[in-house]
Amino acid sequence: MFDKNLYRLLFQRLIILVLISLAGPVKAEQGESWPPAKLSSWEIFTITENKLSLNREYLPYNVKLELFADYAKKYRAIKVPVGKKIRADASGVLSYPEGTVLVKTFYYPSAGTSPPNTSPALVQTLTRDIARDNSLIETRVLIKKESVWQPLVYRWNKSKSDAELLNGGGLETISVDSQFELQNFTYLIPSRHQCIDCHGGYNLSGELAPLGPVIEQLNIEVKYASKAVNQLELWFLSGLLALDTIPQNNTVLDTNSARDYLHVHCGHCHNANGLASSSRLYLTKDIQDLYRLGVCKPPIAAGNASLGLKYDIVPGQPEKSLLLRRLSSVTPEVMMPELGRSRIDQEGVDLVSAWIRQLSGICEK
């Protein structure tokens, strides 16, 4: 079932992790102050003149369908303490052990190499470094500490030698090529409170949870160390994950599906138990009731953001659908998602617009 060469490589990595664990906990957990003021305290990267290289206790990973973030590229990595494993319940929900660290670095490639996001390739190559001449913006750290997920945001300095902890967020002026045209805009680095709003939005209890590394997002084919493998299998071979069988394709997201797009971008709040449950607009992929999806449903909690439109979705008429109008806006009190972007995800808007256009039915006038 498993590639022997890949298994040998990962076994060698496991030996390295054991040696690291014998040397003691990571520096970020040894310091007297919490949280660490510098990203370097986490010892995630080794920084050289030309690149940032991921340290061996961290494994790079990717997801099938990314959250839109102003066309920024994202570099993800995970560390699970040696001797502990991620476990999945009967429904495939992942439970991460104490001490798990999730890292996501946002950056823009060098000028001339930054086309807009497109559907991921069938095989995504996982690399262990980032070119340092990229525009590094921020690195977000999510750590499970004392049984609670804690989000931290670090902003890279001008020299790209380190990143400093931010609590109140920040703004970054970006000049980057997009579709071969120079774009100038203001990138919003979220505050710690905004991280909590999103990661705690799936449940009214406010309990935080990872949004990207879930079974349906991780269940993709990747290339690591020149070997193609299912990413969940890679996690299993790396000693990160306890899983009896790899879930079948019914758990895999479709990057060309408007429903899956809404599930990823909106469903963590727009569900029966989420932060946006009062809207009665539920956008997770399991919802079959078209009314709950917004079809011919009047907006309930939108207030002035309803823009005078009568329904969340009008079949066949995206231009009269509040859902699409909010996806197409960059006005703070109108746009959805309300965090994480200052630009329009045109590819996502086109996808949802095409879906609404093919819906049939007539709403009451």
Side-chain angles (χ1 to χ4, degrees), residues 71 179 256 258 261 318 324 327-328 344-357:
Y71 295 112
Q179 292 181 312
N256 294 312
Y261 178 89
L324 191 74
L327 290 174
S328 305
I344 297 171
D345 180 5
Q346 193 58 54
E347 291 75 25
V349 167
D350 291 344
L351 190 64
V352 175
S353 179
W355 171 64
I356 295 175
R357 190 170 288 110

Side-chain angles (χ1 to χ4, degrees), residues 304-315:
N304 292 333
S306 66
L307 303 173
L309 298 176
K310 293 183 177 180
Y311 302 105
D312 290 326
I313 294 175
V314 179

Side-chain angles (χ1 to χ4, degrees), residues 257-263 266-267 270-271 279-299 311-315 321-324 327 352 355-356 358-359:
S257 165
R259 287 293 310 276
D260 285 356
Y261 178 89
L262 293 171
H263 173 83
C266 313
H270 280 276
N271 63 76
S279 70
R280 300 296 189 268
L281 177 65
Y282 304 149
L283 297 174
T284 51
K285 63 183 298 183
D286 60 306
I287 298 298
Q288 299 301 317
D289 184 341
L290 290 179
Y291 184 81
R292 290 299 180 204
L293 278 172
V295 177
C296 296
K297 187 188 82 63
Y311 302 105
D312 290 326
I313 294 175
V314 179
S321 301
L322 178 59
L323 174 65
L324 191 74
L327 290 174
V352 175
W355 171 64
I356 295 175
Q358 59 84 37
L359 291 174

